[in-house]
Amino acid sequence: MRLKMVLVATMTSLMSGCVSTHYIDEHYVANIKTPPTWQYQHTEGSVQNDWLNQISNPQVHALVTRALDNNLLLRKQSIEVESARQRLIISGSALWPTLTLAMDSSRRKSATEQYSSAHDLSLKVGYELDLWGKLSDSERQANLEVMSSIENYRQQRHDLVAGVIINWFAVIEGKTQQLLLDRRLQVVKQNLDIIESGYKQGLNSALDVYLARTELNNEQAKLAQQASTVGSRIRSLERLIGTYPKGALAVSAALPLLESTVPVGIPSELISRKPALISSWYDLLARDAALAYAHKQRFPSINLSANYGSGGNKLEDAFSLSNMGWSLLSSISAPLFNAGNLAAKEALAKTELKAKELEYLNTLQDAFAQVENKISEETSLKQRYQETLVAQKNAQLAEQLSFEQYQKGLVSYTTVLDAQKRAFDAQSSLISIKNELIKNRVELHLALGGDFQQTQPEEVSNDIG
């Protein structure tokens, strides 16, 4: 009677010890404190889930389709999802009985020179009772890893689409800069012709000729460098779409000016919308399940086994129905001494869970910061564009006036070169800011976690909302 009471008390203690093995509950995310709205001035409203449709250029959609089909890193992530699913099947199989058909044959020789044979054919069944939920926790961990892998795949799709668009506009920006440099080179050539003509007439000095020739050589070098930059950007785009980077992709479109704004939602919605954050959350839950499994490894295991078959001294006895027999066994095993192995594994699982929790919270803060930065950067870029636009107009007037005054002998050629450089820099800056606005807008969509939902557009435009 006393032994029975001890066993009951022991089982009750073990069961209670298995109840509170999960440290991350379903209310964890809801308890994360987030601000009610973004801190920087922004446009209110729900986040767009079809932002790619706002770029109506057919080439963009064709390139996105090719990238989603052919990009090697995305295909690798797809394989990793399948690998996670196979690990789930492996882990889940432990919850099911095993069925094995075995055929054993042996022949022995005794010390008295007697020979004997044995032949057995049996069907064996094995099953481990998941009394503490240990096997269920292992399957739960594997299932969460599958879900995390799927969300990671979704995030890589978003990153890839954003990368294709950013690189496509970068090529357009590079070609626009190349055309500007070419026009600048033609102006410098005209200036050199005028100055050399004036030098032959005794109107200009040799110094002016040398300065004009130096400027011509500098512009030719810049044009060659820009051509190399465009080729490099085209090859980067070709790599993203999964083709050989030979720099032959033809891109022809205008660089638009973004003047619109996009709704950015509220911070709390970002946690359940952005695939990268969802993947990180599943990783955290998987670590929590791993801790529960490590904890329950320290409790007894109960196994059942059954055997049904026949055997005898002759081979035909193994297939004889008259020799059929069965056996049913049960076993219980509990760890008594393992030099702290299981305790250390549980402690390790706890530290890994804590590290994963801090990593998840840090990922959240990074995601919030990224959105805040992109919102503020867009405002700053739009202000920079307007100021640079005014500077460009003034620089063009100064360039024209300085050359006229130089021809009248009122200013030196150095003044002309300085005015021309300022005008060129202002025009180049306007092109760069346009591209930066587009890049920032795409990265804002990416930071907000909205889906691109690719569809074929009807109208042709380069605006992205």
Side-chain angles (χ1 to χ4, degrees):
M1 183 67 180
R2 180 176 299 177
L3 178 60
K4 187 175 181 180
M5 292 177 62
V6 171
L7 289 175
V8 172
T10 302
M11 294 296 290
T12 303
S13 176
L14 290 174
M15 291 295 289
S16 63
C18 292
V19 172
S20 57
T21 53
H22 294 287
Y23 290 82
I24 307 298
D25 59 29
E26 57 183 5
H27 304 295
Y28 183 89
V29 172
N31 293 331
I32 295 177
K33 294 182 179 180
T34 58
T37 184
W38 302 106
Q39 302 304 297
Y40 210 84
Q41 183 179 0
H42 60 277
T43 302
E44 297 182 354
S46 300
V47 172
Q48 295 173 331
N49 283 322
D50 58 347
W51 59 267
L52 180 59
N53 293 334
Q54 296 170 30
I55 308 177
S56 300
N57 189 294
Q59 186 182 33
V60 174
H61 292 265
L63 292 175
V64 167
T65 300
R66 292 175 64 183
L68 293 175
D69 291 339
N70 303 321
N71 184 267
L72 298 179
L73 292 179
L74 187 64
R75 291 167 63 183
K76 174 179 175 291
Q77 181 59 34
S78 177
I79 293 175
E80 291 179 357
V81 172
E82 182 59 30
S83 298
R85 286 181 173 142
Q86 296 305 317
R87 288 193 293 269
L88 173 59
I89 294 175
I90 294 171
S91 179
S93 65
L95 291 167
W96 294 83
T98 60
L99 185 63
T100 306
L101 180 64
M103 177 70 184
D104 298 318
S105 295
S106 63
R107 184 169 176 80
R108 297 179 183 178
K109 177 183 176 182
S110 67
T112 59
E113 299 294 329
Q114 297 293 323
Y115 292 89
S116 63
S117 300
H119 303 278
D120 297 289
L121 178 64
S122 61
L123 188 64
K124 300 178 181 179
V125 179
Y127 181 65
E128 180 180 355
L129 295 178
D130 191 24
L131 184 60
W132 323 111
K134 176 183 67 174
L135 302 179
S136 298
D137 285 327
S138 178
E139 184 189 35
R140 179 171 179 265
Q141 178 186 356
N143 188 46
L144 288 165
E145 289 172 352
V146 171
M147 297 166 69
S148 174
S149 184
I150 292 173
E151 292 300 325
N152 193 25
Y153 174 75
R154 287 183 58 218
Q155 184 63 54
Q156 286 202 19
R157 280 172 56 90
H158 291 190
D159 293 343
L160 178 60
V161 171
V164 169
I165 295 171
I166 289 173
N167 278 269
W168 187 74
F169 277 110
V171 172
I172 296 173
E173 188 258 348
K175 288 192 169 186
T176 307
Q177 295 281 15
Q178 193 174 5
L179 291 174
L180 177 63
L181 281 168
D182 188 62
R183 291 198 302 269
R184 165 70 173 153
L185 181 61
Q186 299 306 316
V187 171
V188 172
K189 285 181 178 180
Q190 292 175 4
N191 291 346
L192 178 59
D193 291 340
I194 294 173
I195 292 171
E196 286 181 338
S197 177
Y199 174 72
K200 292 176 182 179
Q201 299 175 21
L203 301 176
N204 299 323
S205 65
L207 176 61
D208 292 343
V209 175
Y210 289 134
L211 289 174
R213 289 176 178 174
T214 301
E215 187 69 10
L216 176 63
N217 293 334
N218 288 337
E219 295 305 320
Q220 288 174 334
K222 289 179 181 178
L223 187 59
Q225 181 181 7
Q226 187 62 29
S228 176
T229 300
V230 171
S232 177
R233 291 179 179 180
I234 291 176
R235 283 187 287 273
S236 296
L237 181 57
E238 289 171 334
R239 284 288 291 112
L240 287 175
I241 63 176
T243 60
Y244 184 82
K246 55 185 178 181
L249 182 66
V251 176
S252 179
L255 200 63
L257 173 63
L258 295 186
E259 298 178 326
S260 61
T261 59
V262 294
V264 295
I266 58 177
S268 60
E269 294 176 347
L270 182 66
I271 300 176
S272 58
R273 182 177 59 243
K274 189 173 183 179
L277 298 182
I278 301 174
S279 176
S280 183
W281 168 244
Y282 287 147
D283 285 339
L284 178 60
L285 292 179
R287 286 292 92 207
D288 184 61
L291 172 58
Y293 176 80
H295 176 70
K296 295 170 184 177
Q297 278 280 77
R298 306 176 67 180
F299 296 108
S301 298
I302 301 176
N303 291 275
L304 302 177
S305 62
N307 193 331
Y308 182 77
S310 60
N313 296 330
K314 299 179 181 180
L315 181 60
E316 55 268 22
D317 292 339
F319 300 93
S320 175
L321 295 178
S322 60
N323 294 330
M324 287 292 180
W326 60 269
S327 64
L328 181 63
L329 301 174
S330 64
S331 65
I332 181 169
S333 61
L336 296 179
F337 176 76
N338 48 53
N341 180 279
L342 295 179
K345 286 182 177 179
E346 182 178 0
L348 175 62
K350 281 184 179 180
T351 58
E352 289 178 343
L353 174 61
K354 186 61 179 177
K356 183 62 68 174
E357 180 183 14
L358 295 175
E359 179 183 333
Y360 172 69
L361 294 175
N362 185 69
T363 302
L364 287 183
Q365 294 301 322
D366 285 343
F368 293 145
Q370 189 176 18
V371 175
E372 295 282 8
N373 289 337
K374 295 307 170 183
I375 294 174
S376 62
E377 284 174 17
E378 181 165 306
T379 302
S380 175
L381 285 169
K382 287 181 177 179
Q383 184 176 358
R384 277 180 54 196
Y385 183 84
Q386 295 302 321
E387 296 296 336
T388 306
L389 187 61
V390 175
Q392 180 212 18
K393 294 177 181 178
N394 292 330
Q396 287 176 335
L397 292 174
E399 177 187 13
Q400 181 180 358
L401 182 61
S402 65
F403 196 76
E404 292 174 355
Q405 290 183 347
Y406 169 74
Q407 289 179 313
K408 295 177 182 179
L410 299 177
V411 297
S412 66
Y413 190 63
T414 304
T415 303
V416 176
L417 291 177
D418 182 64
Q420 289 179 343
K421 183 178 183 302
R422 290 175 184 272
F424 170 77
D425 288 346
Q427 294 178 70
S428 178
S429 294
L430 285 176
I431 297 172
S432 297
I433 294 173
K434 280 184 178 181
N435 186 54
E436 288 180 38
L437 273 166
I438 295 171
K439 182 174 181 289
N440 187 79
R441 175 64 61 83
V442 174
E443 291 176 343
L444 175 59
H445 283 301
L446 190 62
L448 291 171
D451 201 345
F452 56 89
Q453 288 187 348
Q454 180 195 10
T455 57
Q456 187 64 32
E458 296 180 358
E459 299 179 358
V460 177
S461 171
N462 289 326
D463 199 357
I464 59 174

